[in-house]
């Protein structure tokens, strides 16, 4: 059942590189990451690749397989014809460090710019109460494994390095939306989402949603509602007045809307 | 700091950093420790081998054990403490088990404070699920991706606090300053040495305290749920720095790992499948666990199918199904069924939830298991049973620490999480690791920070120490035409799997030690291709030394302990023994030798008021 897989794997570093041709013995039921590992163990000991869980849980093994952004550990060889050559290249939107490993620090920088959750005080018994249906939306977004495939795919940054400054990207719009929908959070991040994260630059092409290995509906469930809320805020005279008069620029109306249960 | 720094040339010398607390590891334990140390006012660095957020903790599925009493008001720390001690076959450090049970609930609520969204009960509290060995439904969870929620929450908190993170960075050596410190000969901890994986550039940390939070050792086995990171680095670093390890003979084989296809062999199938109603069957369709209820757990385990079935809905009047016995019991039972020829086609047994719960329930409660089987094995777990078998999962053994402070016998060196020993005795209950990370991570971080601040004269790292550490790290490049490190790793995994596995015998353990000696020799002569920039072959060559010393510890302690208890089963000594039950085996690495030393040490004695908890029922 095993066969010889023809592979082309990008080898190189920041200064340049090229596709290397390899023949790798593979077995039934294997995934692309298995083939890469065998290559590493038998033919190319210094082949650089990231991985941890081998089960689609950690988001380390992102790459482009035949040009499609995917997790190598969740891409089965049986998806391809045995005679087909599989080409594996690093994610394109991030600078290459070596072989399949890219510099994803952009994402970690963007993460730093996000204000974290600040909840209302606990109930008198020291616990907090939230309804299951109220946490489920946020839970969908928190399934994100930070594979950064959506970031890699989004055309706003994929071929436009200079947009990175102003644009946080779909993974972080998800985070804004998650915090915004948290039943007990007290911040209002709509202004930040618009101004610092550049949600306005997204023109809802949904490419991010298509590549998300967790199946998160990034565009429909996070970005579009977030865009709507940003628009609401801009034209909400009460918020505007509140901010002017009470100078509570870091608090919105949400704590009033959803007080502690 | 992200580690993605291609600017730093390899040859431009050695980078130096000064901190009060250096935390090695960015899993649950490391992140919680760093947050605590930061909160106590220390300057903190976190270092980790992978990117931030990818540590093993991310893979945890089932939940965090904490007696919050949200579903069963009768649950409290005493019950949790008792379950933990009994699960560990009373070999646990009682004080750690007590602190753990007492503090876990508050640690979970803290996560919620920082943004975690746990599943809820009907009245809006954090929901709790059933797991093996826990008397009440006790695990706070988020579907079956609790570890992801935990690591993301802690990661986001650490980022919010602006703690320095060195990612894709491996520590290869700890330093001590011989001119300082009380007692011990080597002096206090003075720092750590390591390299950026990306550039191969060396870094020296100067710090009066180091917290080890490096996780486990599972990569030394062939069939394992653990990743490449689990090479026992922290265990080995601690030993080389003069600290001691305990309980190394106890390795947890999780009863349910995937067995097919080969590519995913060992991948974990969460215990929640059984907690949520799944049962184990052999090829003949029998629920064989009823045949394997040990004396120790007879009183609390259902012995008929009727009673077991009743338990899922009415826990007061029914005893637990035997499928939810502690992991060591279930793993051994599965092993016996397979050996007796009643296994499934691919050498496992069946785990069936499809015939017992609705597809909807399964998809909602176990989404990532559903996904994992569907994508990787073409099995729809809502329609057919899974094939499962034991997989190396967790090491109970680790650095010997003081229960209250988490300091090892070396001044300034702390350990928390899977790398620390004592808390779980001879067997860990499911869910007790994530809570362990939080409780002892926080304690280690706090204590390290205080220790650091009390230090008037900071210990220093000498130029010779740095030189020696760099030379050791570069050694694999010096040998030409030597062996490939991947081959040696594969051979070690084979030895450990065959000779130091679930069921052990004296003859095999002796063989394993001889094999490990030979592997150690071969490892001295390995060589690596390429250069220092992001070179996995080189990284493995360095990690391999750690795997070897840790494997030796496991085999040596396993040979010494002539009884069966928890995660250590001897075919030639099949029952527990009270004499051995009062002893820890302590392992050290003498500085003038490259083979480990072993000694017996009496277990700390539990105070009488806690002993009474074990007299009732
Ligand atoms: C599949 C799976 C499911 C699990 N499910 C559960 C569960 O439901 N409930 C439960 O309680 N437990 C569970 N466990 C166990 C639990 O997840 C682990 O024991 C726990 O996460 C270990 O956490 P830690 O913080 O000690 O280490 P880890 O999270 O493993 O982190 C170790 C860190 O140390 C770093 N490190 C290691 N060596 C070095 C070095 N030399 N230099 C620098 N950094 C280093 C690593 O990069 C990593 O960041 C599960 C384990 C697995 C594998
Ligand atoms: S929907 Fe928006 S964020 Fe997503 S890929 Fe398109 S432009 Fe980018
Ligand atoms: S949203 Fe999806 S694609 Fe984007 S980083 Fe998260 S898991 Fe990956
Ligand atoms: S290795 Fe974790 S997602 Fe692929």
């Amino acid at each position: 059942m095993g066969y010889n897989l023809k592979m082309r794997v990008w080898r190189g570093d920041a200064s340049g590189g090229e596709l290397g041709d390899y023949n790798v013995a593979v077995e039934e039921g294997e995934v692309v990451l298995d083939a890469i590992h065998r290559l590493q163990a038998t033919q190319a000991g210094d082949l650089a690749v990231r991985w941890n869980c081998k089960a689609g849980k950690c988001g380390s093994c992102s790459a482009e397989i035949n040009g499609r952004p995917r997790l190598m550990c969740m891409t089965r060889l049986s998806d391809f014809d045995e005679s087909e050559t599989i080409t594996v290249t690093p994610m394109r939107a991030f600078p290459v460090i070596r072989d399949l490993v890219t510099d994803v620090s952009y994402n970690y920088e963007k993460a730093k710019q996000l204000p974290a959750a600040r909840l209302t005080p606990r109930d008198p018994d020291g616990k907090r109460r939230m309804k299951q249906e109220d946490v489920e939306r946020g839970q969908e977004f928190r399934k994100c494994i930070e594979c950064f495939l959506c970031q890699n795919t989004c055309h706003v940054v994929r071929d436009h390095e200079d947009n990175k400054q102003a644009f946080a990207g779909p993974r972080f719009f998800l985070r804004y939306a998650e915090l915004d929908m948290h039943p007990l959070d007290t911040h209002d991040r709509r202004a930040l989402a618009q101004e610092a994260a550049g949600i306005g630059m997204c023109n809802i092409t949904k490419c991010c949603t298509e590549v998300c290995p967790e199946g998160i509906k990034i565009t429909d469930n996070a970005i579009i509602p977030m865009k709507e809320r940003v628009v609401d805020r801009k034209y909400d005279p009460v918020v505007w007045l509140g901010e002017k008069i009470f100078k509570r620029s870091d608090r919105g109306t949400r704590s009033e809307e959803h007080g502690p249960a | 700091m992200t580690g993605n720094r291609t600017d730093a040339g390899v040859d431009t010398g050695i980078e130096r950093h000064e901190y009060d607390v250096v935390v090695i590891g960015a899993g649950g334990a490391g992140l919680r420790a760093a947050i605590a140390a930061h909160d106590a006012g220390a300057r903190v660095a976190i270092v980790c081998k992978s990117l931030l957020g990818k540590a093993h903790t991310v893979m945890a599925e089932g939940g965090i054990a904490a007696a919050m009493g949200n579903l069963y008001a009768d649950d409290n720390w005493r019950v949790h403490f008792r379950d933990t001690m009994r699960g560990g076959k009373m070999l646990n450090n009682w004080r750690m088990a007590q602190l753990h049970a007492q503090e876990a609930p508050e640690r979970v609520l803290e996560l919620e404070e920082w943004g975690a969204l746990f599943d809820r009960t009907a009245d809006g509290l954090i929901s709790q699920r059933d797991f093996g060995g826990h008397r009440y439904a006790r695990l706070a969870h988020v579907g079956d991706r609790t570890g992801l929620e935990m690591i993301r929450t802690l990661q986001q908190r650490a980022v919010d606090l602006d703690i320095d993170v060195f990612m894709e960075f491996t520590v290869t050596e700890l330093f001590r300053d011989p001119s300082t410190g009380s007692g011990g000969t080597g002096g206090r901890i003075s720092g750590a040495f390591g390299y950026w994986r990306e550039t191969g550039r060396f870094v020296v940390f100067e710090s009066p305290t180091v917290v080890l939070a490096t996780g486990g050792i599972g990569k030394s086995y062939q069939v394992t749920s653990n990743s490449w990171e689990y090479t026992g680095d922290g265990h080995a670093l601690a030993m080389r720095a003069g600290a001691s390890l305990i309980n190394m003979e106890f390795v947890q084989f999780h009863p349910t790992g995937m067995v097919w296809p080969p590519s995913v062999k060992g991948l974990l199938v969460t215990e929640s499948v059984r907690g949520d109603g799944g049962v184990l069957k052999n090829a003949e369709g029998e629920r064989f666990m009823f045949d394997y209820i040990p004396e120790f757990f007879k009183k609390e385990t259902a012995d008929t199918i009727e009673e077991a079935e009743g338990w899922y809905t009415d826990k007061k009047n029914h005893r637990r199904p035997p499928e939810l016995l502690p992991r060591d019991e279930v793993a051994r039972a599965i092993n016996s069924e397979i050996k007796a020829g009643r296994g499934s086609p691919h050498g496992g047994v069946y785990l069936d939830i499809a015939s017992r719960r609705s597809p909807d329930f399964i998809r909602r409660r176990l989404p990532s298991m559903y996904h994992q089987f569907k994508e990787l094995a073409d099995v729809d777990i809502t329609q057919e049973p899974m094939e499962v078998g034991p997989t190396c999962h967790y090491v109970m053994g680790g650095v010997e620490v003081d229960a209250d402070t988490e300091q090892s016998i070396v001044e300034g060196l702390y350990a928390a999480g899977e790398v620390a020993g004592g808390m779980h005795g001879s067997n860990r209950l499911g869910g007790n690791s994530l809570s362990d990370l939080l409780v002892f991570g926080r304690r280690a971080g706090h204590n390290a920070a205080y220790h650091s601040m009390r230090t008037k004269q900071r210990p220093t790292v000498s130029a010779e120490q740095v030189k020696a550490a760099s030379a050791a790290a570069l050694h694999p490049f010096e040998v030409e035409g030597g062996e490939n490190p991947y081959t040696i790793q594969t051979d070690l995994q084979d030895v450990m799997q065959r000779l130091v596995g679930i069921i052990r015998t004296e003859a095999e353990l002796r063989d394993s030690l001889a094999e490990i000696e030979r592997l150690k020799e071969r490892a001295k002569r390995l060589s690596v291709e390429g250069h220092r920039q992001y070179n996995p072959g080189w990284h493995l060559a360095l990690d391999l030394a750690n795997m070897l010393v840790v494997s030796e510890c496991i085999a040596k302690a396993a040979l010494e302990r002539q009884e069966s208890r928890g995660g250590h089963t001897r075919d030639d000594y099949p029952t527990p023994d009270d004499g051995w039950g009062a002893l820890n085996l302590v392992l050290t690495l003498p500085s003038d030798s490259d083979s480990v030393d072993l000694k017996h040490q009496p277990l700390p004695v539990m105070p009488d008021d806690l002993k009474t908890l074990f007299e009732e029922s």
Side-chain angles (χ1 to χ4, degrees):
Chain A
M1 258 171 267
Y3 65 100
N4 257 326
L5 172 72
K6 288 195 283 300
M7 286 191 102
R8 311 194 77 193
V9 181
W10 196 88
R11 304 296 308 270
D13 56 25
S15 63
E18 58 184 10
L19 287 170
D21 284 295
Y22 300 96
N23 267 301
V24 190
V26 294
E27 301 289 330
E28 185 195 354
E30 289 193 325
V31 294
V32 171
L33 186 61
D34 291 314
I36 293 283
H37 277 158
R38 190 148 315 121
L39 188 58
Q40 198 182 43
T42 56
Q43 301 173 43
D46 59 346
L47 169 64
V49 54
R50 285 194 181 107
W51 70 284
N52 282 288
C53 69
K54 219 171 159 291
K57 292 192 166 89
C58 72
S60 301
C61 64
S62 308
E64 303 196 357
I65 300 170
N66 289 351
R68 269 196 63 192
R70 302 180 72 163
L71 296 177
M72 287 186 274
C73 71
M74 296 302 281
T75 306
R76 299 188 59 178
L77 295 176
S78 58
D79 295 351
F80 305 87
D81 200 81
E82 289 189 9
S83 60
E84 199 176 334
T85 301
I86 298 183
T87 304
V88 188
T89 49
M91 287 194 282
R92 194 171 88 196
F94 309 117
V96 165
I97 292 173
R98 184 158 180 218
D99 303 339
L100 301 177
V101 173
T102 57
D103 176 352
V104 291
S105 53
Y106 160 65
N107 301 290
Y108 288 94
E109 290 308 316
K110 291 296 172 190
K112 287 187 191 160
Q113 295 162 9
L114 257 146
R118 293 282 182 271
L119 305 198
T120 54
R122 295 183 185 187
D123 295 348
D125 63 354
K127 296 183 176 177
R128 286 196 167 83
R129 284 163 180 79
M130 295 181 249
K131 289 218 172 66
Q132 179 65 32
E133 55 269 32
D134 293 339
V135 299
E136 265 165 18
R137 246 268 236 135
Q139 284 183 332
E140 182 198 355
F141 306 151
R142 290 181 73 84
K143 282 192 331 201
C144 168
I145 57 174
E146 299 205 324
C147 64
F148 307 128
L149 286 172
C150 57
Q151 303 285 89
N152 173 55
T153 306
C154 176
H155 67 97
V156 177
V157 288
R158 188 167 168 95
D159 293 308
H160 306 278
E161 186 64 31
D162 37 327
N163 280 342
K164 282 187 178 168
Q165 193 66 23
F167 188 72
R171 191 278 170 261
F172 296 99
F173 299 148
L174 204 65
R175 176 91 171 112
Y176 275 104
E178 170 218 318
L179 289 164
D180 204 59
M181 292 175 197
H182 191 300
L184 302 180
D185 185 52
T186 56
H187 272 290
D188 185 345
R189 296 176 183 76
R190 287 176 290 178
L192 262 178
Q194 179 69 9
E195 287 143 27
I199 201 170
M201 291 163 84
C202 158
N203 48 5
I204 43 181
T205 57
K206 303 199 187 183
C207 314
C208 50
T209 305
E210 271 166 35
V211 297
C212 177
E214 285 293 301
I216 304 169
K217 301 229 164 11
I218 309 173
T219 330
D220 287 349
N221 291 354
I223 298 181
I224 295 176
M226 199 62 205
K227 276 177 173 270
E228 282 165 1
R229 289 182 54 83
V230 168
V231 174
D232 282 352
R233 174 187 173 276
K234 275 192 172 159
Y235 300 108
D236 185 341
V238 182
V239 173
W240 182 83
L241 257 182
E243 283 180 359
K244 278 273 178 239
I245 298 169
F246 303 110
K247 293 231 164 25
R248 283 167 44 189
S249 54
D250 65 336
R251 291 175 68 93
T253 51
R254 302 204 46 242
S255 52
E256 283 84 26
E257 284 164 16
H258 313 259
Chain B
M1 256 167 275
T2 67
N4 286 316
R5 299 173 17 147
T6 25
D7 55 316
V10 173
D11 303 319
T12 51
I14 289 177
E15 209 176 300
R16 288 183 101 95
H17 298 276
E18 227 184 83
Y19 287 97
D20 299 327
V21 180
V22 171
V23 180
I24 308 178
L31 287 167
R32 190 63 191 84
I35 292 168
H38 171 94
D39 288 348
R43 290 171 304 158
V44 188
I46 305 175
V47 304
C48 53
K49 293 207 279 191
S50 292
L51 293 171
L52 186 58
K54 314 293 182 196
H56 243 76
T57 301
V58 78
M59 288 175 233
E61 295 164 355
I64 314 173
M68 295 187 287
N70 289 351
L71 282 170
Y72 294 89
D74 289 345
D75 199 11
N76 60 50
W77 76 261
R78 288 183 187 80
V79 190
H80 191 183
F81 167 73
R82 179 178 175 277
D83 290 347
T84 301
M85 292 293 304
R86 284 175 58 84
K89 298 279 159 59
M90 307 304 285
L91 206 74
N92 320 52
N93 177 309
W94 66 268
R95 176 65 178 157
M96 289 177 92
Q98 179 189 31
L99 290 169
H100 167 258
Q102 287 173 331
E103 295 178 3
E106 183 52 33
R107 298 285 82 76
V108 172
L109 290 168
E110 223 163 48
L111 289 183
E112 186 169 61
E113 181 105 30
W114 299 334
L117 289 173
F118 291 103
D119 286 348
R120 318 304 298 182
T121 64
D123 41 4
L125 297 170
I126 294 175
S127 174
Q128 302 190 265
R129 79 157 30 121
D130 280 307
F131 242 55
H134 293 282
R135 179 138 157 206
Y136 297 105
R138 186 180 282 150
L139 271 68
H141 59 96
V142 185
D144 53 4
R145 56 160 190 86
T146 313
L148 172 63
E149 188 69 11
M150 176 158 154
I151 202 163
R152 204 62 84 231
T153 303
L154 292 170
Q155 168 188 353
Q156 285 163 349
R157 178 72 182 168
V159 168
D160 191 30
L161 297 174
D162 206 14
I163 298 175
D164 290 348
V165 182
F166 293 71
M167 35 178 136
E168 301 206 299
F169 184 104
T170 304
V171 172
T172 58
E173 218 58 75
L174 300 179
F175 295 127
R176 293 172 72 173
D177 182 343
S179 69
T180 61
S182 47
T185 47
R188 325 175 14 163
I189 282 290
S190 54
F193 180 90
Y195 61 90
W196 291 106
R197 296 180 60 217
E198 187 187 319
T199 56
R201 185 168 197 227
F202 292 139
V203 177
V204 172
F205 288 103
E206 289 178 280
S207 172
T209 63
V210 167
V211 178
L212 293 171
T214 51
I217 58 99
K219 201 62 198 167
S220 299
Y221 286 81
Q222 214 167 46
V223 180
T224 176
S225 65
N226 294 173
S227 85
W228 70 269
E229 289 203 325
Y230 266 27
T231 48
D233 294 6
H235 291 78
L237 286 169
M239 287 191 103
R240 288 202 294 270
S244 48
L245 306 186
I246 56 170
N247 293 351
M248 289 306 288
E249 62 276 37
F250 302 109
V251 175
Q252 181 167 79
F253 289 84
H254 194 289
T256 61
M258 290 176 82
V259 296
W260 184 260
S263 141
V264 295
K265 190 161 178 156
L267 215 66
L268 194 75
V269 179
T270 174
E271 188 166 328
S272 321
V273 176
R274 281 170 287 139
D276 287 348
V279 296
L280 293 163
K281 293 180 183 165
N282 60 22
E284 287 149 26
E286 275 168 336
R287 269 180 81 171
F288 58 83
M289 279 309 300
F290 288 98
D291 305 335
Y292 293 92
I293 304 168
E295 203 51 48
F296 193 76
F297 292 109
K298 276 227 155 81
K299 268 195 202 134
E300 55 212 68
T301 311
D303 49 17
T304 63
I305 294 196
E306 294 67 45
E307 184 177 4
E309 290 303 298
W311 176 85
Y312 294 103
T313 45
D314 174 9
K315 303 207 163 55
K316 274 238 148 62
N317 298 307
H318 298 83
R319 292 174 298 173
R320 322 168 55 80
E323 281 85 3
L324 289 173
L325 281 165
R327 289 176 176 171
D328 51 327
E329 308 291 352
V330 184
R332 271 192 300 271
I334 294 179
N335 198 60
S336 308
E337 284 296 303
I338 299 171
K339 279 209 169 146
R342 292 187 292 270
S344 65
H346 300 112
V349 295
Y350 294 108
L351 172 59
D352 173 27
I353 192 166
S355 74
R356 301 172 49 84
R357 297 286 181 267
S358 73
D360 220 43
F361 176 92
I362 298 171
R363 274 191 296 262
R364 183 164 44 80
R365 297 279 292 202
L366 303 163
S368 74
M369 280 306 104
Y370 174 76
H371 189 67
Q372 182 173 314
F373 273 89
K374 189 104 195 139
E375 295 291 318
L376 296 174
D378 281 327
V379 168
D380 179 348
I381 66 167
T382 68
Q383 302 301 322
E384 21 175 352
M386 301 161 237
E387 273 185 78
V388 296
T391 179
C392 176
H393 184 56
Y394 185 89
V395 62
M396 270 64 76
V399 181
E400 183 186 22
V401 293
D402 171 68
D404 286 76
T405 64
E406 307 355 292
Q407 187 169 235
S408 70
I409 59 171
V410 175
E411 201 178 339
L413 182 62
Y414 295 76
E418 193 168 338
V419 68
M423 157 69 204
H424 304 286
S426 69
N427 174 52
R428 171 179 74 87
L429 293 184
N432 268 2
S433 170
L434 293 186
S435 41
D436 161 2
L437 310 182
L438 295 170
V439 168
F440 297 108
R442 173 177 158 280
R443 282 182 164 266
H446 258 156
N447 285 299
Y450 293 143
H451 187 106
S452 192
M453 282 174 234
R454 280 195 307 266
T455 306
K456 296 211 181 62
Q457 203 177 359
R458 289 176 67 95
T460 54
V461 177
S462 73
E464 298 83 80
Q465 284 176 316
V466 174
K467 218 167 129 193
S470 352
L474 290 174
H475 180 71
F477 285 111
E478 250 126 65
V479 183
E480 278 196 30
E483 240 187 303
N484 174 345
Y486 294 96
T487 318
I488 303 179
Q489 184 190 38
T490 309
D491 292 351
L492 174 65
Q493 291 165 338
D494 173 63
V495 167
M496 293 304 284
Q497 188 79 27
R498 262 190 309 119
L499 305 175
V500 200
I502 305 186
I503 313 285
R504 303 160 173 180
T505 65
E506 176 170 340
E508 290 185 347
L509 290 167
R510 287 198 188 285
D511 282 353
S512 75
L513 283 165
E515 295 272 1
I516 291 169
E517 272 322 301
R518 281 195 281 278
L519 289 164
K520 274 161 66 178
E521 283 308 311
R522 282 168 61 190
K524 284 182 190 150
R525 295 187 309 269
L526 56 74
S527 55
V528 296
E529 295 172 49
H531 48 75
R532 281 162 72 177
Q533 199 190 347
Y534 218 114
N535 183 344
W538 178 42
H539 303 164
L540 176 61
L542 296 177
D543 295 347
L544 199 55
N546 302 332
M547 300 174 80
L548 285 163
V549 69
V550 168
S551 298
E552 183 181 344
C553 289
I554 298 172
K556 228 174 201 161
L559 176 61
E560 183 76 5
R561 186 174 284 274
Q562 298 177 336
E563 64 157 352
S564 293
R565 179 182 301 271
H568 170 67
T569 306
R570 286 281 298 262
D571 220 17
D572 37 359
Y573 301 94
T575 52
D577 170 279
D578 287 347
W580 283 107
L583 285 179
N584 275 143
L585 299 181
V586 183
L587 298 141
T588 48
L589 190 64
S591 53
D592 51 0
S593 149
D594 69 349
S595 86
V596 299
D597 251 14
L598 180 148
K599 73 173 201 296
H600 293 198
Q601 179 174 291
L603 210 64
V605 179
M606 193 187 297
D608 290 341
D609 59 321
L610 290 178
K611 276 190 189 145
T612 59
L613 292 174
F614 298 87
E615 285 153 17
E616 65 203 44
S617 78

